[in-house]
Every structure is written in C-alpha cells, then in structure tokens.
Amino acid sequence: MKNVQSCILVWYLIFQTFIFSLWRRRRLGVTGIVTYFYWLFVYTIQICIALLLFRKKAKITLLIYAWMRRIDDVMDNDMDPPVGFTVATYLKQKEEIIESFTENGVSHHLLIQEDILFIKLLSELKNFKSDFYLHIRELWKIMLWDYNRQKEQRIVPQHELTTYAALQDKVILEAMTKLFDGNVECIKKVLNIHGGIFSKIDWLHDMPNDLQKGIVNIPKEAVENYNIDLVMLKKSRTRKEFDIQHNFKRWYGNEVIELSKQWNMVRNELGYTFGGTFSPKRKFILSLIMLMIKGFEKDLLLSRSAI
C-alpha cells in the first residue's frame, strides 16, 4: 500500500510540475492561455507514447525534469519555497542532497515531500549503468550560476556566457545520449566544435520573457558597445516597447544572423543521425531528434521575425 501511495505521489508531482510549467504561458495573454491547452494535449500524448515505448528511460527523464524544474521555479520566484523554508535554506537543502548523491545513493537525511521524486530517481538509476549523478551535479552548477547572477544583477562577459552555454549543451545532450544508448564520442565531437549553440538559440528565443524576470543573456561587451539601456529594456512588456529599444534591436538582429550561420553549419554536420550518434536503424529515436531540431529551427525563425 505504501508503494502505491508513493507511486501516486510521484506522478502527481511530475504532472503538477509539467502543468504549472505550461501554465506560465498565460503571461503571453490570450494567445498564451489558448496555446496552453494545445501544448497540454500535445505534451501529454508525447509523454504517454514515450512511457509506452521507453518505460524506464522515459521515467528517468521525467523524474530529473520534474525535480530540477521545481527547484528552478523557486529560483526564478515562479513558485514559493515549501513551508518552513526561505529560498536560501531551500537551495542549501537541495545543494546538500546533490553533493551527497553518488552511484550508491544519497546520504542526506533531511528530505521534503517533493524529494520523493529524487528518491524514485535513485531507485530507477540503481540498475542503470551510468554516471548520471555527475550530470546532475553539473546541471546544478549551471542552475546555481544562473541564480546567483540574476540575484546579483550581474551582467556577465561573452566568454562566461559561452562557457556556461557550452556546459549546458554538454550536460543535457551527453546525458540523453547515454540514456538512449547513443555514441557519446560522436556527440562530444560535435559539442567540442559547436558547444553552446542549442542553449544560445534557446536564450535568444526566451529573451523578452527572461528580461522581465531580470535574467540578462546579453554579454557585457554588447551592452557597452551597443549602448543598450538595460533599465528600460527590463521594463519593456510589449512588442512595441521592445521595438523602440533600437540599440538592443541592432544587437539582437546581428546575434540572430550570427547564430543562423552557426546553426546551418551544425545542421549540416548533424545530418540525419545526429552526427553519427545514433544508428540509422533507430528510426523512432531519430524521428524524435528531428522534432527537437525542427523546434530549434522554429525558435530561430521566430527570433528572426522579431528583428
């Protein structure tokens, strides 16, 4: 009975996190609310198909996403920390859990309700030969860097943004390659040359929403060279308000052009097999990858239309 209750709680937390993440689209107004129901339907179908075909691997992916997403929402002030915690003590508790996480389990004793996701993740990974705990630690390092620069309102230089964009690409893509039995060496070759391209496209697409939350993914050098008014930029809420920030628009336009050139190079190298990472025989996996690639291409097109 206890195992059944635990399983129900795990799935409740996963879908609660997933639905809340989508619900934030309401900030986009009527369009956001309408698209919420569309994407809720699409993603629910995709999750069901993934669970049916990949079972344990899909479950591991969902558990990592849900647990990390809840932490990220507290970091971004989209969700309050649990009762009895401040943001600082909540993040400290999570850091101690992650630091105590090894291939043998977790030694941290102070766990709260949502950490059942983490405990379930450990049980799923137990018989899965992988150093996933190292990827989770690296992902935590990126999240903490993002949180601290936002909290300090620090505008970081180009090399620091590029370093963390490349690290984020590496952590996520290498972990997913291992999980779905791909060739890690192949994806490493691509990332060594073009690491950061996926995160940078994502940042560019999310920039208006991120700026409203105080997250600035514009390099310090660009702010100075283009004389970008960050105070007015952060206050912008509508497309019209962003359009009158001419210096920002000039930088944004140049960034879209540069990333489009890089993406065309990456796209040619990846080909149909994701740079040889997956066998041509694994048609379903490759179909999912093509959907992901089309998503990035769509983000670039939307960014280009905003110029």
Side-chain angles (χ1 to χ4, degrees):
M1 185 65 181
K2 190 175 180 180
N3 287 336
V4 173
Q5 290 174 333
S6 173
C7 189
I8 290 171
L9 182 56
V10 164
W11 284 108
Y12 165 74
L13 290 171
I14 286 175
F15 279 100
Q16 183 197 49
T17 307
F18 163 66
I19 290 168
F20 180 75
S21 181
L22 280 174
W23 178 239
R24 285 180 301 179
R25 289 174 178 270
R26 73 189 188 282
R27 291 173 176 163
L28 302 175
V30 175
T31 303
I33 293 173
V34 171
T35 57
Y36 164 77
F37 292 103
Y38 168 74
W39 287 112
L40 180 60
F41 173 76
V42 170
Y43 288 154
T44 301
I45 295 297
Q46 288 178 350
I47 286 175
C48 291
I49 292 172
L51 286 169
L52 184 66
L53 294 174
F54 298 109
R55 297 187 182 179
K56 182 173 282 190
K57 294 176 181 181
K59 203 184 296 182
I60 289 171
T61 306
L62 284 171
L63 286 165
I64 293 173
Y65 169 79
W67 196 67
M68 289 296 192
R69 177 79 264 171
R70 294 176 81 86
I71 299 171
D72 194 55
D73 284 341
V74 173
M75 285 179 163
D76 289 345
N77 295 317
D78 286 326
M79 182 185 286
D80 293 328
V83 176
F85 285 86
T86 63
V87 173
T89 58
Y90 174 79
L91 295 181
K92 180 68 176 173
Q93 185 251 5
K94 292 294 178 277
E95 184 167 36
E96 288 173 355
I97 290 174
I98 289 169
E99 286 303 314
S100 70
F101 180 27
T102 69
E103 57 190 352
N104 298 317
V106 61
S107 59
H108 197 272
H109 64 280
L110 179 59
L111 301 174
I112 55 181
Q113 187 189 56
E114 68 195 46
D115 293 331
I116 193 171
L117 290 165
F118 197 69
I119 299 303
K120 183 65 176 173
L121 172 63
L122 290 179
S123 68
E124 294 292 339
L125 288 175
K126 209 164 193 178
N127 299 318
F128 192 83
K129 302 295 182 184
S130 177
D131 53 358
F132 251 71
Y133 68 98
L134 295 176
H135 292 291
I136 292 173
R137 282 185 181 177
E138 285 188 313
L139 190 56
W140 171 254
K141 177 183 175 183
I142 297 164
M143 292 170 68
L144 209 55
W145 166 78
D146 217 14
Y147 171 73
N148 285 330
R149 72 183 176 109
Q150 180 184 352
K151 183 182 175 184
E152 297 162 6
Q153 297 188 326
R154 187 167 64 92
I155 312 304
V156 300
Q158 178 72 59
H159 72 86
E160 189 174 338
L161 273 178
T162 300
T163 297
Y164 277 91
L167 181 59
Q168 184 164 281
D169 280 6
K170 174 182 177 293
V171 171
I172 295 172
L173 292 175
E174 283 188 15
M176 290 300 100
T177 299
K178 287 178 183 178
L179 189 61
F180 292 96
D181 305 314
N183 188 323
V184 178
E185 294 307 312
C186 286
I187 194 62
K188 278 182 178 178
K189 287 178 184 177
V190 175
L191 292 174
N192 284 339
I193 302 171
H194 301 292
I197 183 71
F198 294 95
S199 292
K200 285 181 179 179
I201 290 173
D202 190 48
W203 288 349
L204 203 66
H205 177 256
D206 292 343
M207 192 160 288
N209 189 45
D210 284 344
L211 284 166
Q212 290 175 23
K213 294 192 292 186
I215 302 170
V216 180
N217 287 318
I218 307 171
K220 183 179 180 182
E221 296 88 338
V223 173
E224 294 170 352
N225 294 339
Y226 285 83
N227 196 25
I228 297 171
D229 188 343
L230 288 178
V231 175
M232 291 303 297
L233 196 57
K234 289 178 183 178
K235 289 179 180 177
S236 300
R237 293 292 180 270
T238 64
R239 171 73 180 268
K240 188 175 180 180
E241 289 173 338
F242 276 106
D243 283 346
I244 62 174
Q245 304 298 322
H246 300 299
N247 293 340
F248 165 72
K249 290 282 284 186
R250 278 198 304 121
W251 169 80
Y252 189 89
N254 290 337
E255 191 72 2
V256 169
I257 292 169
E258 185 59 35
L259 281 178
S260 296
K261 289 178 183 175
Q262 289 181 36
W263 177 253
N264 287 335
M265 291 171 60
V266 173
R267 186 70 184 83
N268 288 334
E269 288 186 32
L270 291 178
Y272 177 65
T273 62
F274 211 56
T277 302
F278 293 98
S279 165
K281 295 179 181 178
R282 302 191 65 189
K283 295 186 183 300
F284 188 77
I285 284 284
L286 292 170
S287 296
L288 291 178
I289 290 171
M290 289 307 295
L291 283 174
M292 182 191 77
I293 287 174
K294 287 182 184 299
F296 280 99
E297 289 174 344
K298 181 183 176 184
D299 286 350
L300 260 182
L301 285 171
L302 289 172
S303 300
R304 200 175 295 143
S305 67
I307 300 173

